[in-house]
Amino acid sequence: MEWIDVINDPSLRNLPYTIELDEPGRIVMSPESNQHGIQQGKLVRLLAQMLHEGEIATECSIATHLGVKVADVVWLSGQFLKRYGEQMPCPQAPELCVEILSPAHTHKEIEEINRLYLGYGAQEVWVVSSEGAITTYGAEGKREQSLIPGVVLH
């Protein structure tokens, strides 16, 4: 299955799941809680206060060699938008990708997501706990400070 098939399939709309594709193109669905959505909203507001250029998006699809992954929140620079426009899924990860932890995530999955997003062009990945604690990662590993000035890490 291709990502465009997922987008165009009416039976997959309005499901309370994040939908991704694995490497062979099979659908993978992860349930999300209301708290997850609230955390997304908080992150969008935080990024909007700090980043006055580019765009902030939720549920951004990113093509990887392991299938299509969906970042919970992303920041896309004007340059990224100019280069890739509305391609779906994005052929490269936006500069900032955020993954909000949920009970369904394993430590191994989060490490893999970090590697994928960074390997596909993200400059920074945030992993956010359900309580809102932000841990940042770059190509060098865990960071003590975000590339975005003013972000408070817990």
Side-chain angles (χ1 to χ4, degrees):
M1 180 172 262
E2 298 291 324
W3 190 246
I4 195 68
D5 299 323
V6 172
I7 297 299
N8 290 329
D9 186 335
S11 69
L12 297 174
R13 295 183 186 142
N14 300 317
L15 295 175
Y17 302 99
T18 295
I19 298 175
E20 298 178 321
L21 293 179
D22 66 6
E23 188 175 4
R26 295 176 300 212
I27 292 175
V28 178
M29 293 191 286
S30 303
E32 300 299 352
S33 67
N34 291 343
Q35 183 60 31
H36 186 273
I38 291 169
Q39 198 62 259
Q40 276 182 302
K42 289 178 180 180
L43 289 163
V44 167
R45 287 192 304 275
L46 173 70
L47 289 171
Q49 291 172 354
M50 299 178 152
L51 300 169
H52 303 289
E53 297 178 20
E55 293 293 337
I56 300 160
T58 60
E59 306 300 326
C60 179
S61 58
I62 303 164
T64 76
H65 67 281
L66 294 179
V68 177
K69 303 300 177 190
V70 178
D72 293 319
V73 180
V74 298
W75 175 75
L76 311 98
S77 70
Q79 183 179 4
F80 185 95
L81 292 166
K82 190 174 189 177
R83 184 170 185 182
Y84 298 112
E86 295 184 15
Q87 287 186 44
M88 203 173 29
C90 292
Q92 180 176 330
E95 291 89 346
L96 173 65
C97 295
V98 180
E99 196 66 27
I100 300 168
L101 293 177
S102 69
H105 285 118
T106 66
H107 183 70
K108 182 179 175 184
E109 287 173 328
I110 292 300
E111 286 180 346
E112 181 178 89
I113 288 168
N114 282 348
R115 279 194 303 275
L116 282 172
Y117 292 162
L118 292 165
Y120 278 84
Q123 294 171 15
E124 186 162 273
V125 175
W126 292 3
V127 176
V128 182
S129 74
S130 57
E131 296 82 28
I134 300 170
T135 306
T136 61
Y137 297 88
E140 72 283 0
K142 186 175 177 182
R143 292 184 170 158
E144 295 301 317
Q145 187 172 354
S146 174
L147 293 175
I148 300 171
V151 173
V152 178
L153 306 179
H154 300 268

mmCIF file of all heavy atoms in Angstrom, residues 86-106:
data_model
loop_
_atom_site.group_PDB
_atom_site.id
_atom_site.type_symbol
_atom_site.label_atom_id
_atom_site.label_comp_id
_atom_site.label_asym_id
_atom_site.label_seq_id
_atom_site.Cartn_x
_atom_site.Cartn_y
_atom_site.Cartn_z
ATOM 1 N N GLU A 86 3.731 20.737 -0.818
ATOM 2 C CA GLU A 86 2.736 19.893 -0.158
ATOM 3 C C GLU A 86 2.909 18.422 -0.515
ATOM 4 O O GLU A 86 1.937 17.662 -0.496
ATOM 5 C CB GLU A 86 1.340 20.390 -0.514
ATOM 6 C CG GLU A 86 1.068 21.779 0.029
ATOM 7 C CD GLU A 86 -0.349 22.246 -0.222
ATOM 8 O OE1 GLU A 86 -1.221 21.415 -0.554
ATOM 9 O OE2 GLU A 86 -0.590 23.447 -0.092
ATOM 10 N N GLN A 87 4.130 18.005 -0.841
ATOM 11 C CA GLN A 87 4.365 16.587 -1.138
ATOM 12 C C GLN A 87 3.914 15.738 0.050
ATOM 13 O O GLN A 87 4.121 16.102 1.199
ATOM 14 C CB GLN A 87 5.844 16.328 -1.409
ATOM 15 C CG GLN A 87 6.327 16.843 -2.733
ATOM 16 C CD GLN A 87 7.765 16.431 -2.988
ATOM 17 O OE1 GLN A 87 8.148 15.298 -2.747
ATOM 18 N NE2 GLN A 87 8.559 17.364 -3.486
ATOM 19 N N MET A 88 3.312 14.617 -0.284
ATOM 20 C CA MET A 88 2.787 13.761 0.760
ATOM 21 C C MET A 88 3.108 12.313 0.429
ATOM 22 O O MET A 88 2.701 11.859 -0.633
ATOM 23 C CB MET A 88 1.270 13.966 0.823
ATOM 24 C CG MET A 88 0.658 13.628 2.103
ATOM 25 S SD MET A 88 -1.090 14.089 2.188
ATOM 26 C CE MET A 88 -1.698 14.008 0.545
ATOM 27 N N PRO A 89 3.830 11.617 1.265
ATOM 28 C CA PRO A 89 4.475 12.087 2.494
ATOM 29 C C PRO A 89 5.698 12.931 2.166
ATOM 30 O O PRO A 89 6.182 12.927 1.036
ATOM 31 C CB PRO A 89 4.883 10.780 3.191
ATOM 32 C CG PRO A 89 5.090 9.816 2.067
ATOM 33 C CD PRO A 89 4.090 10.190 1.012
ATOM 34 N N CYS A 90 6.187 13.655 3.160
ATOM 35 C CA CYS A 90 7.406 14.443 2.961
ATOM 36 C C CYS A 90 8.545 13.480 2.632
ATOM 37 O O CYS A 90 8.715 12.468 3.308
ATOM 38 C CB CYS A 90 7.767 15.222 4.228
ATOM 39 S SG CYS A 90 6.632 16.528 4.671
ATOM 40 N N PRO A 91 9.347 13.786 1.603
ATOM 41 C CA PRO A 91 10.457 12.907 1.250
ATOM 42 C C PRO A 91 11.651 13.058 2.191
ATOM 43 O O PRO A 91 12.596 12.291 2.125
ATOM 44 C CB PRO A 91 10.815 13.344 -0.170
ATOM 45 C CG PRO A 91 10.365 14.757 -0.242
ATOM 46 C CD PRO A 91 9.165 14.869 0.664
ATOM 47 N N GLN A 92 11.592 14.066 3.040
ATOM 48 C CA GLN A 92 12.642 14.336 4.015
ATOM 49 C C GLN A 92 11.953 14.802 5.299
ATOM 50 O O GLN A 92 10.856 15.346 5.254
ATOM 51 C CB GLN A 92 13.560 15.450 3.483
ATOM 52 C CG GLN A 92 14.681 15.819 4.414
ATOM 53 C CD GLN A 92 15.618 16.847 3.789
ATOM 54 O OE1 GLN A 92 15.804 16.895 2.589
ATOM 55 N NE2 GLN A 92 16.189 17.682 4.627
ATOM 56 N N ALA A 93 12.608 14.581 6.432
ATOM 57 C CA ALA A 93 12.034 15.038 7.705
ATOM 58 C C ALA A 93 12.183 16.550 7.823
ATOM 59 O O ALA A 93 13.227 17.098 7.460
ATOM 60 C CB ALA A 93 12.734 14.353 8.874
ATOM 61 N N PRO A 94 11.164 17.238 8.328
ATOM 62 C CA PRO A 94 11.308 18.669 8.610
ATOM 63 C C PRO A 94 12.419 18.906 9.639
ATOM 64 O O PRO A 94 12.859 17.985 10.323
ATOM 65 C CB PRO A 94 9.944 19.055 9.182
ATOM 66 C CG PRO A 94 9.005 18.031 8.638
ATOM 67 C CD PRO A 94 9.811 16.764 8.584
ATOM 68 N N GLU A 95 12.834 20.152 9.763
ATOM 69 C CA GLU A 95 13.962 20.495 10.639
ATOM 70 C C GLU A 95 13.740 20.090 12.089
ATOM 71 O O GLU A 95 14.666 19.654 12.759
ATOM 72 C CB GLU A 95 14.234 22.005 10.564
ATOM 73 C CG GLU A 95 14.792 22.453 9.246
ATOM 74 C CD GLU A 95 13.753 22.830 8.205
ATOM 75 O OE1 GLU A 95 12.554 22.518 8.366
ATOM 76 O OE2 GLU A 95 14.147 23.444 7.195
ATOM 77 N N LEU A 96 12.524 20.249 12.596
ATOM 78 C CA LEU A 96 12.205 19.846 13.961
ATOM 79 C C LEU A 96 11.063 18.841 13.916
ATOM 80 O O LEU A 96 10.011 19.125 13.341
ATOM 81 C CB LEU A 96 11.790 21.045 14.814
ATOM 82 C CG LEU A 96 11.269 20.716 16.222
ATOM 83 C CD1 LEU A 96 12.364 20.087 17.085
ATOM 84 C CD2 LEU A 96 10.706 21.958 16.892
ATOM 85 N N CYS A 97 11.289 17.682 14.512
ATOM 86 C CA CYS A 97 10.250 16.662 14.622
ATOM 87 C C CYS A 97 10.032 16.369 16.098
ATOM 88 O O CYS A 97 10.993 16.237 16.857
ATOM 89 C CB CYS A 97 10.665 15.376 13.912
ATOM 90 S SG CYS A 97 10.836 15.551 12.125
ATOM 91 N N VAL A 98 8.770 16.270 16.492
ATOM 92 C CA VAL A 98 8.415 16.035 17.888
ATOM 93 C C VAL A 98 7.603 14.750 17.998
ATOM 94 O O VAL A 98 6.639 14.554 17.249
ATOM 95 C CB VAL A 98 7.594 17.211 18.460
ATOM 96 C CG1 VAL A 98 7.239 16.961 19.915
ATOM 97 C CG2 VAL A 98 8.344 18.530 18.290
ATOM 98 N N GLU A 99 8.008 13.916 18.924
ATOM 99 C CA GLU A 99 7.276 12.681 19.212
ATOM 100 C C GLU A 99 6.796 12.760 20.655
ATOM 101 O O GLU A 99 7.590 12.976 21.568
ATOM 102 C CB GLU A 99 8.191 11.475 19.012
ATOM 103 C CG GLU A 99 7.472 10.174 18.920
ATOM 104 C CD GLU A 99 6.591 10.027 17.683
ATOM 105 O OE1 GLU A 99 6.853 10.648 16.634
ATOM 106 O OE2 GLU A 99 5.601 9.279 17.787
ATOM 107 N N ILE A 100 5.489 12.609 20.861
ATOM 108 C CA ILE A 100 4.909 12.621 22.199
ATOM 109 C C ILE A 100 4.785 11.173 22.660
ATOM 110 O O ILE A 100 4.188 10.347 21.971
ATOM 111 C CB ILE A 100 3.533 13.313 22.201
ATOM 112 C CG1 ILE A 100 3.675 14.761 21.713
ATOM 113 C CG2 ILE A 100 2.905 13.258 23.585
ATOM 114 C CD1 ILE A 100 2.364 15.444 21.397
ATOM 115 N N LEU A 101 5.347 10.895 23.808
ATOM 116 C CA LEU A 101 5.312 9.529 24.324
ATOM 117 C C LEU A 101 3.892 9.121 24.687
ATOM 118 O O LEU A 101 3.113 9.922 25.195
ATOM 119 C CB LEU A 101 6.197 9.406 25.559
ATOM 120 C CG LEU A 101 7.696 9.577 25.331
ATOM 121 C CD1 LEU A 101 8.438 9.500 26.663
ATOM 122 C CD2 LEU A 101 8.225 8.535 24.372
ATOM 123 N N SER A 102 3.604 7.871 24.406
ATOM 124 C CA SER A 102 2.327 7.289 24.822
ATOM 125 C C SER A 102 2.631 5.902 25.377
ATOM 126 O O SER A 102 3.712 5.356 25.147
ATOM 127 C CB SER A 102 1.367 7.196 23.634
ATOM 128 O OG SER A 102 1.812 6.224 22.715
ATOM 129 N N PRO A 103 1.679 5.312 26.098
ATOM 130 C CA PRO A 103 1.920 3.975 26.653
ATOM 131 C C PRO A 103 2.262 2.934 25.580
ATOM 132 O O PRO A 103 2.910 1.939 25.872
ATOM 133 C CB PRO A 103 0.599 3.634 27.338
ATOM 134 C CG PRO A 103 -0.018 4.952 27.652
ATOM 135 C CD PRO A 103 0.400 5.865 26.529
ATOM 136 N N ALA A 104 1.850 3.172 24.342
ATOM 137 C CA ALA A 104 2.107 2.214 23.265
ATOM 138 C C ALA A 104 3.570 2.215 22.814
ATOM 139 O O ALA A 104 4.037 1.261 22.205
ATOM 140 C CB ALA A 104 1.199 2.519 22.080
ATOM 141 N N HIS A 105 4.311 3.304 23.085
ATOM 142 C CA HIS A 105 5.704 3.392 22.650
ATOM 143 C C HIS A 105 6.629 2.566 23.535
ATOM 144 O O HIS A 105 6.526 2.610 24.758
ATOM 145 C CB HIS A 105 6.204 4.847 22.698
ATOM 146 C CG HIS A 105 5.686 5.700 21.603
ATOM 147 N ND1 HIS A 105 4.910 6.801 21.825
ATOM 148 C CD2 HIS A 105 5.848 5.632 20.262
ATOM 149 C CE1 HIS A 105 4.610 7.372 20.684
ATOM 150 N NE2 HIS A 105 5.166 6.671 19.710
ATOM 151 N N THR A 106 7.559 1.879 22.900
ATOM 152 C CA THR A 106 8.628 1.219 23.642
ATOM 153 C C THR A 106 9.886 2.075 23.517
ATOM 154 O O THR A 106 9.980 2.917 22.610
ATOM 155 C CB THR A 106 8.924 -0.187 23.085
ATOM 156 O OG1 THR A 106 9.464 -0.052 21.753
ATOM 157 C CG2 THR A 106 7.680 -1.059 23.069
#
